[in-house]
Amino acid sequence: MIGQHWGWTSARSLALALVTVALGALLPAVERRAAAPVLPAAMLASRTVVFASLIGFVAHAAMFGVLVYLPTYLQIVHGASATLSGVHMPPLVIGLVISQSLAGRWAAKASRLRIILVTGLLLNAAGLLLLATVRGTTSTALLTSPVPRSTNGYDQPMVVDRHSRRWCSPL
């Protein structure tokens, strides 16, 4: 496996990191010239869009981490099968569905989107802090209880991001 031969400080890993940073630096110039850019530069004039995009990125990263970590944790620490660890995921998925619906309605009616962003960020942080308290002796019932609370914060920045992009869009 490559991971066993390439350390974080190996020449190949550092070269890949450097190429990633270089291509990331070129992205704005390429997007400015594109006929249909993924993220129009004019949208970045809105602080709400920039803030929502950054918080959405962090929320996506946190959600991805929980979605990958929780089943792996259940398999390694609690000895659950892959199927059983998947059975413990519905609280997360149900929390996502409910919070997406509620956040969308809230964003459609809100005059100040920043309140939704900050609330989502605080809920996300609170849920992740609760998950950080998990120990090897934590029961699976208790383990899944903070998960729905943590998902409430994931969707709010994403919904605000979509709404703010629609409001700032020239379309």
Side-chain angles (χ1 to χ4, degrees), residues 8 10-26:
W8 285 107
S10 73
R12 288 179 178 173
S13 294
L14 293 175
L16 286 173
L18 184 63
V19 168
T20 301
V21 170
L23 290 175
L26 289 174

Side-chain angles (χ1 to χ4, degrees), residues 101-151:
S101 300
L102 295 176
R105 290 181 186 160
W106 190 16
K109 295 178 184 176
S111 60
R112 293 190 46 100
L113 296 175
R114 189 167 295 157
I115 294 169
I116 299 172
L117 289 171
V118 172
T119 303
L121 180 61
L122 292 174
L123 286 170
N124 195 346
L128 292 172
L129 286 173
L130 284 171
L131 286 174
T133 64
V134 171
R135 302 286 179 253
T137 56
T138 305
S139 71
T140 54
L142 185 61
L143 177 64
T144 57
S145 64
V147 174
R149 281 180 250 147
S150 70
T151 62

Side-chain angles (χ1 to χ4, degrees), residues 3-162:
Q4 295 172 347
H5 301 291
W6 289 19
W8 285 107
T9 57
S10 73
R12 288 179 178 173
S13 294
L14 293 175
L16 286 173
L18 184 63
V19 168
T20 301
V21 170
L23 290 175
L26 289 174
L27 184 63
V30 171
E31 285 291 300
R32 265 186 248 128
R33 291 189 198 116
V38 174
L39 183 64
M43 286 177 45
L44 297 177
S46 168
R47 287 180 26 195
T48 302
V49 173
V50 171
F51 190 59
S53 297
L54 290 174
I55 296 302
F57 175 77
V58 171
H60 276 99
M63 184 173 62
F64 179 75
V66 170
L67 288 171
V68 170
Y69 172 75
L70 189 57
T72 304
Y73 172 84
L74 290 171
Q75 290 175 35
I76 294 171
V77 176
H78 290 273
S81 67
T83 302
L84 186 57
S85 67
V87 168
H88 288 290
M89 297 306 288
L92 175 64
V93 176
I94 291 168
L96 285 169
V97 170
I98 291 171
S99 63
Q100 182 78 19
S101 300
L102 295 176
R105 290 181 186 160
W106 190 16
K109 295 178 184 176
S111 60
R112 293 190 46 100
L113 296 175
R114 189 167 295 157
I115 294 169
I116 299 172
L117 289 171
V118 172
T119 303
L121 180 61
L122 292 174
L123 286 170
N124 195 346
L128 292 172
L129 286 173
L130 284 171
L131 286 174
T133 64
V134 171
R135 302 286 179 253
T137 56
T138 305
S139 71
T140 54
L142 185 61
L143 177 64
T144 57
S145 64
V147 174
R149 281 180 250 147
S150 70
T151 62
N152 291 334
Y154 293 135
D155 290 332
Q156 292 173 3
M158 295 174 211
V159 169
V160 172
D161 190 27
R162 281 195 298 273

